[in-house]
Amino acid sequence: MKFPAPTIVVKLGGASITKKSEFETIDYDSLVKSATSLAAVIAKQPHNYIVVHGAGSYGHHQAKKFNLRGCFDSPPPPSSPSQLPGVCATRLSVQKLNLLVVEALINAGLKAVSISPMNLSVLCGEGTNSMARMISLVTDCVVRGYVPVIHGDACFTKAIPGAGIVSGDPMCEVLAKHFCKSNNPNDCAIFVTDVPGIFPKCPKKFQVDNELIREIIVDERGQIVSKMNINTAVVDEYDVTGGILSKIDSAVQIARAGVPVHIVEGNTEELFRCASGEQFVGTTILRST
């Protein structure tokens, strides 16, 4: 379903709303900045928001301890009964964060409601095939003026007692493809991170000869056709979902469908500028024309 008003799928990356190196520690300033930025955009022009957030310092530690791996549409790894406590601990942690994100959005003036993938029978390894109930609920929320807020989650596999992690990035891909109008610049996906965008090398480690990549062009096959060398492979010790590489892959697939993707830094003015359609500092991923 495509909505008449501009629709923006916003991914609040875990690194942008939590302090990833500190166990279950929220970055309130950055979270509140993102929430107030989104509310300020709606005050200027009606928008539909679908918000997905990562786990950051919530959930990843527990998932790593119990060897729960990310497997949205790939074959899930073998599981054992010893991982069952890990599913419980991971879900408890990410739901704590989800409540904080929803609270921040409500305090900013948005009508935010929480959505948990496991509760809607999203299954690891099944990809889009298990997203029908979520898509239906998101539709019901948006047409009534609510902002659905979805979190990465520990979910079951078809095989018992299997379980794994469904990351926010591939869910963003499914939601953006389904709800955003292609070839319409007002509909887009925005990934909010803790760096200004995509760089040739990790910007936290390399400051010299490492300029922000402002635009990435992909073709209809999802191949990057821009002349560049992206080597941002610095995945956090506790990140079980692929870090920045997962974001790039999901962003490329969204852009391949004709929906522009913007990657901006949290706790700055760039999310507001980007969602408002103004010039902003960040990376844009587009399909070639």
Side-chain angles (χ1 to χ4, degrees):
M1 178 176 183
K2 312 298 183 185
F3 304 112
T7 299
I8 301 178
V9 175
V10 180
K11 168 64 189 302
L12 297 176
S16 76
I17 59 174
T18 75
K19 299 178 181 179
K20 289 193 76 171
S21 62
E22 302 176 33
F23 180 73
E24 291 192 349
T25 303
I26 195 79
D27 187 334
Y28 280 104
D29 290 343
S30 185
L31 173 58
V32 169
K33 183 67 175 178
S34 290
T36 55
S37 294
L38 294 175
V41 172
I42 281 187
K44 290 178 57 179
Q45 179 186 3
H47 279 72
N48 298 315
Y49 288 131
I50 300 168
V51 175
V52 182
H53 69 81
S57 61
Y58 293 74
H60 283 292
H61 293 262
Q62 294 89 344
K64 184 175 178 63
K65 177 180 178 181
F66 287 91
N67 197 32
L68 295 171
R69 311 305 299 175
C71 52
F72 178 70
D73 55 4
S74 58
S79 300
S80 70
S82 64
Q83 292 177 306
L84 296 181
V87 174
C88 302
T90 301
R91 294 206 75 232
L92 176 62
S93 183
V94 295
Q95 287 177 315
K96 289 179 189 176
L97 176 59
N98 183 252
L99 288 176
L100 293 171
V101 174
V102 170
E103 181 180 46
L105 293 168
I106 290 174
N107 289 342
L110 298 174
K111 295 184 285 292
V113 292
S114 172
I115 293 180
S116 289
M118 179 190 271
N119 296 353
L120 296 172
S121 302
V122 175
L123 294 174
C124 289
E126 297 302 309
T128 307
N129 294 332
S130 67
M131 289 278 287
R133 290 182 65 192
M134 177 181 289
I135 288 172
S136 177
L137 181 54
V138 168
T139 302
D140 289 342
C141 289
V142 173
V143 297
R144 289 166 173 80
Y146 292 98
V147 177
V149 185
I150 305 154
H151 59 85
D153 205 359
C155 294
F156 300 140
T157 64
K158 277 190 173 181
I160 299 173
I165 302 299
V166 172
S167 169
D169 295 327
M171 286 192 288
C172 280
E173 179 185 333
V174 173
L175 294 167
K177 288 178 178 179
H178 187 86
F179 290 107
C180 295
K181 297 179 284 293
S182 62
N183 302 313
N184 185 327
N186 294 322
D187 284 27
C188 65
I190 303 176
F191 284 67
V192 184
T193 74
D194 60 339
V195 294
I198 301 299
F199 292 78
K201 297 176 285 188
C202 175
K204 295 181 180 179
K205 284 192 158 188
F206 303 95
Q207 285 78 44
V208 179
D209 297 327
N210 192 29
E211 292 186 5
L212 174 68
I213 299 171
R214 298 301 300 265
E215 186 174 83
I216 297 174
I217 305 298
V218 302
D219 62 19
E220 67 278 359
R221 299 169 299 166
Q223 301 295 313
I224 296 176
V225 297
S226 308
K227 293 182 179 179
M228 63 185 67
N229 178 29
I230 302 175
N231 182 25
T232 56
V234 178
V235 179
D236 184 83
E237 176 187 1
Y238 293 102
D239 194 330
V240 298
T241 58
I244 191 66
L245 297 181
S246 171
K247 289 175 178 58
I248 293 174
D249 182 63
S250 294
V252 163
Q253 295 308 315
I254 295 170
R256 179 188 179 191
V259 178
V261 181
H262 310 294
I263 302 173
V264 299
E265 184 175 11
N267 208 17
T268 68
E269 296 296 327
E270 304 313 322
L271 174 57
F272 171 79
R273 291 173 180 144
C274 179
S276 298
E278 301 175 2
Q279 288 190 339
F280 67 93
V281 175
T283 300
T284 294
I285 305 177
L286 300 168
R287 187 176 68 185
S288 58
T289 56

